[in-house]
């Protein structure tokens, strides 16, 4: 019964039993194999479980039903990145995927792919665009700062990390990045200060 399986899936999610939820959703597909909303939920749950190959299978099934499903196409790129399939990712960016101009998350992922392929200038443009779209997107700032470090632009990197710090002064990644760039700039006292903040945060949340 479809309704029973839907209810079981939702109850399982509420209880934190993701595997049972996925099984219930798969049972729905035995009856209604072209249910796009179920395919969508399954692949997202599988990404959360880090079952990326299986998630990709369901994304492809979903795109067979609706080739214009933008979120699925974008998340396909995300899986390529997470699985370190950077050559496939760059091919996908160049030949198939057209990112929406306001999709700061997708643009940031593209930047990460370029960064892994040492194309720092393209990565820099992507990260800068992501925070232009969303000025509070911490990941974009941190990625841009690290890209600037690769380009040996330490002063600019520090400014970017400080911008992230103003948005959220408890972000561990930002604190580590500030410590790293301070160390690279031989600001030992500042580096120690930021690393101590990380240690304090860890001890208060352990």
């Amino acid at each position: 019964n479809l309704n029973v399986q839907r209810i079981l899936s939702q109850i399982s999610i509420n209880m934190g039993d993701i595997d049972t939820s996925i099984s219930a959703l798969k049972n729905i597909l035995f009856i209604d194999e072209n249910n796009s909303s179920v395919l969508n939920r399954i692949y997202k749950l599988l990404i959360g479980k880090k079952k990326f190959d299986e998630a990709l299978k369901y994304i492809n099934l979903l795109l067979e039903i609706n080739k214009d499903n933008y979120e699925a196409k974008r998340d396909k790129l995300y899986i390529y990145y997470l699985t370190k399939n950077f050559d496939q990712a760059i091919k996908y960016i160049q030949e198939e995927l057209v990112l929406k101009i306001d999709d700061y998350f997708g643009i940031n992922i593209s930047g990460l792919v370029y960064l892994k392929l040492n194309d720092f200038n393209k990565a820099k443009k992507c990260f800068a665009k992501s925070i232009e779209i969303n000025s509070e997107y911490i990941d974009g700032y941190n990625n841009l700062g690290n890209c600037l470090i690769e380009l040996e632009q330490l002063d600019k990197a520090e400014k970017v990390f400080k911008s992230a710090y103003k948005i959220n002064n408890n972000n561990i990644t930002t604190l580590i990045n500030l410590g790293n760039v301070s160390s690279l700039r031989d600001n030992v006292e500042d580096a120690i200060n930021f690393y101590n903040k990380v240690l304090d945060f860890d001890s208060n949340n352990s």
Side-chain angles (χ1 to χ4, degrees):
N1 185 294
L2 292 178
N3 287 331
V4 170
Q5 296 300 328
R6 288 192 182 98
I7 293 169
L8 175 59
S9 174
Q10 189 57 54
I11 291 173
S12 299
I13 287 176
N14 293 341
M15 295 178 64
D17 186 354
I18 304 302
D19 290 331
T20 299
S21 178
I22 292 171
S23 294
L25 291 170
K26 287 179 179 179
N27 287 337
I28 294 174
L29 290 179
F30 282 125
I31 303 168
D32 185 8
E33 64 182 8
N34 292 325
N35 190 316
S36 58
S37 65
V38 171
L39 288 167
N40 186 69
R41 289 176 67 188
I42 288 177
Y43 92 70
K44 289 181 178 177
L45 290 172
L46 288 167
I47 289 176
K49 294 286 290 184
K50 298 184 178 181
K51 296 182 177 180
F52 301 124
D53 290 340
E54 192 177 0
L56 189 58
K57 182 185 90 170
Y58 284 98
I59 285 178
N60 287 331
L61 288 172
L62 181 56
L63 290 173
E64 286 178 14
I65 297 167
N66 181 8
K67 63 183 177 61
D68 295 322
N69 186 314
Y70 176 78
E71 188 176 24
K73 290 193 288 187
R74 192 270 313 283
D75 288 345
K76 188 173 182 177
L77 173 63
Y78 189 39
I79 288 177
Y80 286 146
Y81 170 73
L82 291 173
T83 55
K84 300 182 180 180
N85 195 347
F86 304 125
D87 289 336
Q88 184 64 43
I90 202 68
K91 182 180 179 182
Y92 185 56
I93 291 169
Q94 293 172 346
E95 297 181 5
E96 296 184 51
L97 181 64
V98 178
L99 290 166
K100 291 182 178 179
I101 58 173
D102 61 347
D103 182 6
Y104 62 89
F105 179 69
I107 292 168
N108 179 69
I109 296 169
S110 294
L112 289 169
V113 171
Y114 285 121
L115 188 65
K116 291 295 184 180
L117 294 172
N118 296 325
D119 194 338
F120 301 124
N121 285 314
K122 284 185 179 179
K124 176 184 171 183
K125 289 179 181 178
C126 290
F127 299 140
K129 185 63 177 177
S130 73
I131 60 176
E132 178 185 326
I133 297 166
N134 183 350
S135 62
E136 296 192 353
Y137 184 46
I138 295 291
D139 288 351
Y141 286 96
N142 282 315
N143 292 331
L144 177 57
N146 284 323
C147 185
L148 290 167
I149 288 175
E150 294 291 347
L151 290 167
E152 299 182 353
Q153 299 176 14
L154 299 183
D155 289 348
K156 290 182 179 179
E158 184 176 50
K159 288 179 182 178
V160 169
F161 292 140
K162 285 184 176 179
S163 294
Y165 184 75
K166 287 179 181 178
I167 296 169
N168 182 355
N169 61 9
N170 287 320
N171 184 279
I172 293 296
T173 302
T174 302
L175 292 171
I176 292 171
N177 286 335
L178 280 165
N180 291 343
V181 76
S182 297
S183 179
L184 289 169
R185 298 182 73 238
D186 294 325
N187 292 335
V188 177
E189 185 175 345
D190 285 349
I192 291 172
N193 180 50
F194 286 118
Y195 291 142
N196 281 335
K197 288 180 183 292
V198 174
L199 294 173
D200 289 343
F201 186 87
D202 285 344
S203 63
N204 290 333
N205 290 274
S206 59

